[in-house]
Amino acid sequence: MRFIFATCAILALGLPTGPAFAGPAPAPAYLGGWTEDAQGCSQPLAEGSLQPGEYVFGKEARSHFEGRCRITHAEQSGTFGWKLDEVCGGGPSARKARWTLSVAGDTMIASIARGSKGGEPFTLKRCATR
């Protein structure tokens, strides 16, 4: 009977209950350093020293050997997937792209579409989280 009374009191006061009270959501699984060649993981991946096929995904940007692209939109797609929209460069030469990512453990299947063309999927291995 005390449980019922306590629950009614919480609801009457408007206090949070259930999953919203559980705390912050976990970070997306795609964050961190990734490489097409597991040999690339021998040194920490860092912006400014990336080689072709090496990427660092952050919450606001994706770094690669040619520079940095700003992530303009990120949304979860299914249980293990995400879609990221990005802009690389600025002004009239800015390039937009959409990444489709699927992460299982330390393996990511990624594809990138630029304009109206979809890219072939490729596999990345996790090097380090950020």
Side-chain angles (χ1 to χ4, degrees):
M1 193 62 142
R2 285 184 186 171
F3 178 73
I4 293 171
F5 176 75
T7 302
C8 290
I10 288 172
L11 293 174
L13 291 173
L15 297 174
T17 61
F21 199 71
Y30 65 83
L31 296 179
W34 298 85
T35 181
E36 292 180 37
D37 178 11
Q39 298 295 334
C41 293
S42 61
Q43 296 181 16
L45 300 183
E47 186 176 344
S49 64
L50 297 172
Q51 300 299 312
E54 296 177 344
Y55 308 91
V56 176
F57 286 88
K59 288 184 179 183
E60 297 177 4
R62 177 188 63 86
S63 299
H64 52 100
F65 80 101
E66 295 174 314
R68 181 181 178 128
C69 298
R70 185 173 46 91
I71 295 173
T72 59
H73 180 77
E75 68 180 66
Q76 190 158 3
S77 175
T79 305
F80 303 106
W82 288 267
K83 293 187 185 300
L84 306 178
D85 293 331
E86 69 178 13
V87 175
C88 302
S93 63
R95 298 175 321 276
K96 294 181 180 180
R98 172 167 269 200
W99 285 79
T100 302
L101 311 174
S102 179
V103 179
D106 289 340
T107 301
M108 176 192 294
I109 305 298
S111 66
I112 183 169
R114 289 187 177 95
S116 62
K117 296 182 180 182
E120 291 294 319
F122 57 99
T123 302
L124 299 171
K125 293 293 183 183
R126 183 186 306 275
C127 288
T129 57
R130 206 176 222 206

